[in-house]
């Protein structure tokens, strides 16, 4: 592993930090309170190139590496984890999947607009009865010759109401089990496609998470990604990379909470000295900093392996497993360091604690990450 970041990578990190502190911080508490999707902020992120960072410039992307993406994700997530998940889903699930497996026509039609952030994408795998057990898709895509007839319901879809393009996994040949699943590109506005209720969430309340309903939606055959039956493999491959994004989000939530706890501990006095001078607090800071560094190393390791074209499935799962636990542990302790102030919204850490939880759930729960890691170890 090489931890000497290039000047370009450091410039991306600095640009993300500057943007997050100046543009995201001012409204983040209000957006969390009112569950407002950060429309203006996402537009600015698009203008800065954060929504299609790794896409080849010939498809309007930034042509950056995964390491730069991790560094940017950490800085954005330190301040606003809701903006970070919009960024993560668009970059690693939608743009990367289309660039890697889409046809030239699909890239021309969809990827070019997704990479600039002109439109957003969503990734639709989860269903009311298919979360961790993702092969048991109930949504169906009946083969009708020149099109598929799509029927079913998807749950907990990030960018559910703000996306224009939806990558929808659906079962075409149930007898083939997971090898019968297809991924279809569904456009907002296709007849029979309805955006369902918005979820009222514990955390990342600025991101819009919805259920989606499909009733006899006619999806042209040319909107299928890959060969017939490739949909589940597509979803798995895409999620492998997505997990680096969510690991970086978790890392950012943890390091953001740590920075606030460190600062507060040097300002707040109790029993005649700064609370950082009490071992009860300084040991918490030591644990936080150690775990955050370890999480960062795992994220960078996974990103470098991906950039080098090497196997990164285990590394990405390890990064997500560890970084999401670090996010949860660190934010709980950051609230504790802040005492009563930590329990009120103004000090940010209670929101970070709520935001941290989802990183142990989406894009594969911690239990699924352990399953993925164990299978890689034992194969
Ligand atoms: N990478 C590549 N291929 C994989 C893979 C991986 N990580 N995991 C499984 N596969 C392949 C297998 O090799 C197998 O292929 P073959 O048919 O060639 O043998 C095929 O997929 C089926 O896999 P399994 O036989 O292992 O199936 P399983 O049911 O035992 O386990 C699972 C599958 C790994 C548990 C999978 O269902 C899974 O990852 N579940 C979690 C789903 C998930 O992450 N959901 C997140 C939703 S998206 C989201 O959260 C986005 C958002 O909004 C932020």
């Amino acid at each position: 592993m090489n931890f000497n970041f290039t000047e370009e990578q450091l410039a991306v990190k600095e640009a993300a930090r500057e943007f997050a502190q100046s543009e995201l911080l001012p409204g983040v508490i209000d957006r969390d309170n009112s569950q407002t999707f950060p429309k203006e902020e996402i537009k600015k992120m698009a203008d800065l190139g954060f929504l299609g960072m790794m896409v080849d410039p010939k498809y309007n992307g930034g042509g950056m590496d995964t390491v730069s993406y991790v560094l940017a994700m950490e800085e954005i997530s330190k301040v606003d984890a809701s903006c970070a998940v919009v960024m993560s889903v668009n970059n690693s699930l939608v743009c990367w999947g289309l660039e890697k497996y889409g046809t030239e026509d699909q890239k021309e039609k969809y990827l070019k607009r997704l990479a600039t952030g002109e439109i957003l994408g969503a990734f639709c795998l989860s269903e009311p009865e298919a979360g961790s057990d993702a092969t048991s898709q109930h949504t169906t895509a009946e083969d009708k010759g020149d099109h598929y007839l799509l029927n079913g319901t998807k749950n907990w879809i990030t960018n559910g109401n703000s996306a224009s393009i939806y990558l929808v996994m659906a079962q075409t040949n149930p007898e083939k089990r997971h090898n019968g699943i297809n991924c279809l590109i569904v456009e907002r506005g296709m007849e029979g496609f309805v955006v369902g209720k918005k979820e009222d969430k514990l955390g990342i309340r600025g991101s819009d998470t919805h259920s989606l309903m499909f009733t006899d939606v006619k999806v042209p055959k040319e909107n299928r990604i890959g060969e017939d039956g490739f949909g589940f493999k597509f979803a798995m491959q895409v999620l492998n990379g997505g997990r680096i994004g969510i690991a970086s989000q978790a890392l950012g939530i943890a390091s953001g909470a740590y920075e606030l706890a460190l600062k507060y501990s040097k300002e707040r006095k109790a029993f005649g000295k700064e609370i950082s001078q009490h071992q009860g607090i300084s040991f918490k800071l030591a644990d936080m900093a150690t775990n955050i560094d370890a999480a960062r190393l795992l994220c960078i390791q996974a990103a470098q392996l991906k950039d080098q074209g090497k196997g990164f499935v285990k590394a990405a799962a390890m990064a997500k497993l560890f970084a999401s636990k670090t996010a949860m542990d660190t934010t709980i302790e950051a609230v504790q360091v802040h005492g009563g102030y930590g329990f009120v919204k103004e000090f940010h850490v209670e929101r970070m604690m709520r935001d941290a939880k989802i990183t142990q759930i989406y894009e594969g729960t911690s239990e699924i990450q352990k399953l993925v890691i164990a299978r890689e170890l034992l194969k």
Side-chain angles (χ1 to χ4, degrees):
M1 270 192 288
N2 172 14
F3 295 112
N4 296 321
F5 298 126
T6 63
E7 273 182 29
E8 195 186 19
Q9 288 165 342
L10 291 172
V12 171
K13 179 179 167 67
E14 191 44 42
R17 183 174 178 86
E18 164 62 27
F19 171 75
Q21 299 294 329
S22 61
E23 301 284 345
L24 299 183
L25 188 57
V28 66
I29 294 176
D30 286 345
R31 291 193 294 275
D32 173 70
N33 274 337
S34 57
Q35 299 195 75
T36 304
F37 182 77
K39 202 169 170 197
E40 287 308 310
E41 291 74 12
I42 293 296
K43 163 97 182 54
K44 288 178 188 165
M45 286 170 71
D47 293 344
L48 286 168
F50 287 130
L51 295 186
M53 290 182 68
M54 295 171 287
V55 175
D56 190 318
K58 77 176 177 191
Y59 301 116
N60 297 338
M64 289 176 231
D65 57 13
T66 316
V67 171
S68 301
Y69 172 55
V70 167
L71 297 176
M73 274 293 296
E74 180 181 352
E75 293 303 330
I76 301 289
S77 310
K78 273 183 189 176
V79 176
D80 189 336
S82 294
C83 284
V85 72
V86 177
M87 175 174 161
S88 179
V89 166
N90 205 66
N91 273 285
S92 25
L93 298 187
V94 181
C95 286
W96 188 81
L98 270 172
E99 184 169 15
K100 175 102 175 147
Y101 298 108
T103 62
E104 274 310 310
D105 283 351
Q106 290 167 350
K107 291 178 198 179
E108 280 295 320
K109 192 168 175 192
Y110 302 116
L111 180 60
K112 281 187 163 178
R113 293 167 69 210
L114 288 159
T116 58
E118 177 197 333
I119 56 171
L120 288 177
F123 178 83
C124 314
L125 177 66
S126 303
E127 300 186 349
E129 291 171 68
S132 290
D133 185 9
T135 61
S136 71
Q137 294 284 303
H138 287 64
T139 298
T140 55
E142 208 183 325
D143 191 336
K144 293 287 187 185
D146 65 342
H147 67 273
Y148 289 98
L149 209 54
L150 185 65
N151 280 286
T153 302
K154 293 290 172 181
N155 258 25
W156 310 298
I157 304 304
T158 303
N159 298 344
N161 199 31
S162 50
S164 301
I165 299 301
Y166 298 77
L167 304 186
V168 182
M169 272 28 85
Q171 182 55 269
T172 298
N173 291 300
E175 66 284 0
K176 292 190 181 167
R177 300 167 57 86
H178 63 269
N179 289 318
I181 293 171
N182 280 308
C183 175
L184 305 180
I185 305 171
V186 177
E187 293 179 23
R188 177 99 186 215
M190 281 181 168
E191 208 178 325
F193 171 23
V194 174
V195 175
K197 85 171 164 77
K198 177 173 172 160
E199 301 295 349
D200 184 1
K201 305 185 302 256
L202 173 75
I204 55 162
R205 287 164 61 80
S207 83
D208 64 330
T209 308
H210 286 255
S211 54
L212 307 175
M213 275 81 80
F214 305 96
T215 310
D216 289 340
V217 180
K218 277 174 86 169
V219 184
K221 266 272 170 75
E222 63 260 27
N223 279 25
R224 187 185 72 209
I225 297 185
E227 294 296 307
D228 184 29
F230 179 63
F232 188 74
K233 296 279 175 59
F234 170 80
M236 290 297 105
Q237 296 290 359
V238 163
L239 280 167
N240 289 331
R243 287 164 186 164
I244 301 177
I246 299 303
S248 317
Q249 182 197 30
L251 168 64
I253 296 170
S255 54
Y258 163 72
E259 284 178 12
L260 290 174
L262 181 67
K263 180 168 177 286
Y264 180 83
S265 73
K266 291 200 240 172
E267 291 166 359
R268 174 77 171 169
K269 290 198 171 73
F271 305 103
K273 53 186 177 184
E274 294 164 359
I275 61 170
S276 60
Q277 299 305 311
H278 294 290
Q279 197 176 66
I281 299 297
S282 65
F283 276 18
K284 288 187 195 302
L285 297 170
D287 282 339
M288 288 181 195
T290 305
N291 286 327
I292 289 166
D293 270 11
R296 191 177 293 108
L297 296 180
L298 286 171
C299 287
I300 297 296
Q301 169 177 258
Q304 284 188 352
L305 288 170
K306 181 165 173 282
D307 287 337
Q308 290 161 6
K310 296 182 180 159
F312 65 93
V313 174
K314 173 165 65 81
M318 283 178 167
K320 182 177 182 295
L321 176 68
F322 190 80
S324 60
K325 180 170 178 357
T326 299
M328 205 63 250
D329 294 349
T330 303
T331 53
I332 287 173
E333 288 296 58
V335 170
Q336 194 70 16
V337 168
H338 281 76
Y341 291 109
F343 207 62
V344 296
K345 299 200 171 191
E346 199 186 323
F347 284 76
H348 297 281
V349 284
E350 65 80 35
R351 184 187 72 256
M352 293 169 159
M353 186 180 81
R354 289 185 283 106
D355 287 348
K357 187 60 208 170
I358 191 63
T359 66
Q360 295 185 303
I361 299 172
Y362 59 20
E363 298 203 20
T365 61
S366 295
E367 292 73 15
I368 290 293
Q369 303 313 318
K370 288 182 191 179
L371 182 147
V372 171
I373 295 163
R375 284 180 178 181
E376 289 289 318
L377 293 175
L378 298 169
K379 77 181 183 188

